[in-house]
Amino acid sequence: MAGAQSITTRAHVSPSQPQQEWEITMEMFDLLAQRAQVSPERPALEDLDDGTRYSYRELNAQAARFSTAANRRWHLKPGDRVAYLGHSRAEFFVMLFGCAKAGLILVPLNWRLALPELQTLMADAEPSALIYGPEFKDTAQPLIEAGVTGISLDSESGNDEANYHKALASVIPDLTPHAPRSADTPWYLLYTSGTTGRPKGVIQTYRMMEANYFNIGIPVGLNQADVLLNVLPLFHTGGINLYSSAVLMAGGCVLVSRTFDVERALSVLAERATIFFGVPAIYQAFLESPAFNPASLKRIRSWGCGGASLPVQVAKQYASHDILIRTGMGMTETGPTVFLLEEESVIKKTGSVGRPQLLVEVRVVDAQGRDVASGEAGELLVRGPGITPGYWNRPDATADSISDGGWFHSGDVARCDADGHYYIVDRWKDMFISGGENVFPAEVEKVLHEHPVIEDVAVIGVPDERWGEVGKACFTVAHDQQPPSQEDLTAFCRERLAGYKVPKTFEHLQQLPRNALGKITKQTLRNL
């Protein structure tokens, strides 16, 4: 969690003198070691499944043990990749900060992927070691046989080198803070879902995590007294950075849950946590649980939501219980935080992702790259210290996504209102053209969400001989409800939408395909 920041400044001394240039380099230090010095006995992490707890002193020491074991037991050198396949657990952050101390690059693997998909990621990242939880022993074996060092988190199995716990216990940690390094040094890789093609490893740096702290930690007011319940997977930027890494930078405590269990999560929120960040599917699950009791959740001072659009009716249900959920927006490539909605605007700006945060700059442009007028929709471009330097081993993809001047092309369609609040209209790639008119599926989905029987819906564009493309709506219905007919849904939409926006076909499904954060994967629907 350290790095360096280079600032180049140019100045004219006088008209007769040449332009002068100098560089001021501020090298960052080992922030975990510093945090352990500032608040050594404050609680940092707790694993809700096995009870493992670390104070900041213990977390720093354990990360130092990891660094030492990586060098002496596993013979890893700076720049090597270390893959992790396992559920969320406190040890993940030991690995993350241990990699920082050793100069290694951590590669968290999505444990929901099939073996061939994992093999594709391993071939791309080329890790020298794979740390795996005992729950994924069978999946890990063929990956290890491909030529990497296998390290098991099973506390009983393996020799000193092949067992994580034994390897760390067998070394004497060097508690000396690691040497300063560039803020843009790769720290960990997060692979995109691959729903639109070959997965890409998004490089995550020290600078990105530090920028995210300013963009999310300060507006939320994170402090040493805060306790975060983290139920998001740690192979995703949401699990790592919303708000876990920011809480650790602030000196608070992170409670790590290996899986999401509705009743346990509500219990922890009622009894221990002070802040929470979830995805819409989690907030929906809370509402549907018999254990949901708004009166017991008064200790939570800040609620956050991202990963997908929070349905307006869900936001209003919580607001009726005086629970104001702050929505925001970001991407793996942006560190992630770009936007955050202020709490006082949760009701009057429902549907907005908020305003750009402190260390981020945004533009909304048309297809020719020209800034659009206020209120008009266009592609969202983002710039700032939280932007990834690029994709692992993919200079082509990096060049396609980051233009001259450091602008990252998000692929999101956004608009900004007169008050400076932004709205994500849709994904640029999800827009389709029907009869020469642009159709944004999210607009159609919003209307269909208003239908009293429909529970969830996704609209995609499909080929049509007459119109080029037309809409197809895939939907699920609420429990024990009969799906409405094609004629009923067509009439419902025609009352609320222009004719070219009304889907031509409607398909009832038992469930919609989703990724790890609950976001609907439309490419899967296109492949049906």
Side-chain angles (χ1 to χ4, degrees), residues 108-114 116-118 120-121 189-202 233 235-237 307 331-333 391 394 427 429-430 513-524 526-527:
L109 299 174
N110 182 345
W111 46 263
R112 297 183 179 183
L113 297 179
E117 295 173 303
L118 291 171
T120 297
L121 302 191
L189 302 181
L190 295 177
Y191 276 87
T192 59
S193 61
T195 56
T196 58
R198 172 185 165 193
K200 300 187 292 288
V202 184
F235 55 74
H236 192 279
T237 187
M331 303 174 69
T332 306
E333 289 90 342
Y391 299 103
R394 293 291 301 276
R427 286 291 291 168
K429 64 180 177 58
D430 287 340
R514 295 180 179 275
N515 64 14
L517 281 191
K519 187 180 296 185
I520 296 170
T521 52
K522 290 192 174 182
Q523 187 59 41
T524 303
R526 295 185 184 102
N527 293 336

Side-chain angles (χ1 to χ4, degrees), residues 16 24 46 55 69 84 88 158 161 201 248 288 310 313 320 324 354 454 464 486 491-492:
S16 61
I24 304 172
E46 180 178 337
S55 66
Y84 171 62
S88 300
E161 283 71 31
L248 294 173
E288 295 171 354
L310 181 68
Q313 65 270 27
S320 69
L324 301 178
I454 288 181
D464 183 81
Q486 170 103 5
F492 183 85

Side-chain angles (χ1 to χ4, degrees), residues 254-276:
V254 178
L255 309 177
V256 181
S257 179
R258 295 191 185 177
T259 57
F260 174 61
D261 177 86
V262 177
E263 281 70 29
R264 183 173 72 170
L266 287 170
S267 175
V268 173
L269 290 173
E271 297 172 4
R272 301 187 60 188
T274 64
I275 52 175
F276 182 73

Side-chain angles (χ1 to χ4, degrees), residues 131-178:
I131 301 173
Y132 61 93
E135 67 273 26
F136 293 105
K137 179 180 179 180
D138 292 340
T139 304
Q141 198 56 43
L143 302 177
I144 295 168
E145 291 171 354
V148 302
T149 299
I151 304 165
S152 173
L153 277 167
D154 187 336
S155 58
E156 302 299 325
S157 66
N159 56 34
D160 285 0
E161 283 71 31
N163 183 280
Y164 173 92
H165 301 283
K166 293 178 182 178
L168 267 62
S170 69
V171 298
I172 298 175
D174 181 0
L175 297 178
T176 304
H178 68 67

Side-chain angles (χ1 to χ4, degrees), residues 215-221 242-243 277 302-305 325-330 337-343 345 352-357 360 421:
N215 288 334
I216 198 69
I218 291 178
V220 173
L242 297 171
Y243 304 127
F277 187 95
S302 179
W303 300 85
C305 182
I325 302 174
R326 302 178 68 176
T327 53
M329 180 269 180
T337 307
V338 176
F339 299 101
L340 183 66
L341 184 64
E342 59 273 19
E343 196 167 88
S345 298
S352 171
V353 293
R355 292 187 169 110
Q357 291 305 297
V360 69
H421 288 82

Side-chain angles (χ1 to χ4, degrees), residues 44-54 90 253-257 272:
L45 288 166
E46 180 178 337
D47 191 311
L48 293 178
D49 287 77
D50 68 7
T52 298
R53 297 181 181 182
Y54 295 114
C253 180
V254 178
L255 309 177
V256 181
S257 179
R272 301 187 60 188

